[in-house]
C-alpha cells in the first residue's frame, strides 16, 4: 500500500511540474506577438495595443489605441482563464476584433505566455 501511495505522489509531482508555467518559455512565445504588441518599460502601441498591466485590465482600454467596437464592448476583464481561451482563437472569442492571429493551439504555451505577460505592471515595470 505504501508503494502505491509513493508512486501516486511521484506521478502527481511529475504531472504538476509538466503543467507549471514557465516565464522564460513565455518570453520566447511572446516573439510571435512582437510584430504587433509591446510590453515592458517604454512599451508603445503598435498595430496592437501595448500589453502592460494586462492582468485585471478591461478589454479595449489601453490609452491611445484605436480598438474595434467589438473589443471595446466585449465586457472582458483580462485574467489567466480568459486570456488562455482568447489566445487559442481571438476571432472566436471576440467576433469583429481587428486582431488577425491564427491562435496558439499548444495546450501549455498560453499559460507560459500569460506567466510572462502578467509580470508587467501598468507602468511596464516587473512586479
Amino acid at each position: 500500500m505504501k508503494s502505491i501511495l509513493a508512486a501516486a505522489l511521484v506521478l502527481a509531482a511529475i504531472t504538476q511540474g509538466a503543467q507549471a508555467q514557465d516565464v522564460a518559455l513565455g518570453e520566447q512565445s511572446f516573439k510571435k506577438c512582437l510584430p504587433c504588441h509591446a510590453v515592458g518599460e517604454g512599451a508603445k502601441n503598435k498595430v496592437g495595443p501595448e500589453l502592460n498591466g494586462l492582468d485585471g485590465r478591461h478589454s479595449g482600454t489601453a490609452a491611445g489605441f484605436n480598438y474595434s467596437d467589438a473589443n471595446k464592448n466585449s465586457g472582458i476583464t483580462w485574467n489567466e482563464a480568459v486570456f488562455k481561451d482568447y489566445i487559442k482563437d481571438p476571432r472566436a472569442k471576440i467576433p469583429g476584433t481587428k486582431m488577425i492571429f491564427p491562435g496558439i493551439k499548444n495546450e501549455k504555451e498560453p499559460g507560459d505566455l500569460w506567466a510572462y505577460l502578467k509580470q508587467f505592471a501598468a507602468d511596464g515595470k516587473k512586479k
Side-chain angles (χ1 to χ4, degrees), residues 4-119:
I4 293 172
L5 180 57
L9 290 174
V10 169
L11 181 60
I14 291 169
T15 303
Q16 185 178 20
Q19 296 298 323
Q21 295 176 337
D22 187 320
V23 173
L25 289 176
E27 185 174 8
Q28 290 300 309
S29 179
F30 188 71
K31 290 179 180 179
K32 297 175 186 176
C33 311
L34 274 174
C36 300
H37 296 280
V39 68
E41 292 185 61
K44 303 273 188 240
N45 294 326
K46 295 180 172 182
V47 173
E50 55 82 12
L51 299 177
N52 289 330
L54 190 60
D55 191 16
R57 186 166 92 186
H58 295 280
S59 181
T61 62
F65 187 76
N66 184 22
Y67 286 95
S68 66
D69 288 339
N71 206 300
K72 289 188 281 190
N73 299 321
S74 69
I76 287 176
T77 299
W78 295 108
N79 63 36
E80 183 175 0
V82 171
F83 177 80
K84 285 172 143 181
D85 187 41
Y86 174 80
I87 204 65
K88 289 178 185 176
D89 188 354
R91 291 182 167 240
K93 183 71 176 173
I94 304 178
T97 184
K98 293 190 288 186
M99 185 162 163
I100 299 172
F101 181 70
I104 296 174
K105 309 305 181 207
N106 174 299
E107 286 297 315
K108 187 177 179 308
E109 190 175 353
D112 295 339
L113 182 54
W114 179 255
Y116 174 70
L117 291 173
K118 77 177 182 180
Q119 69 181 338

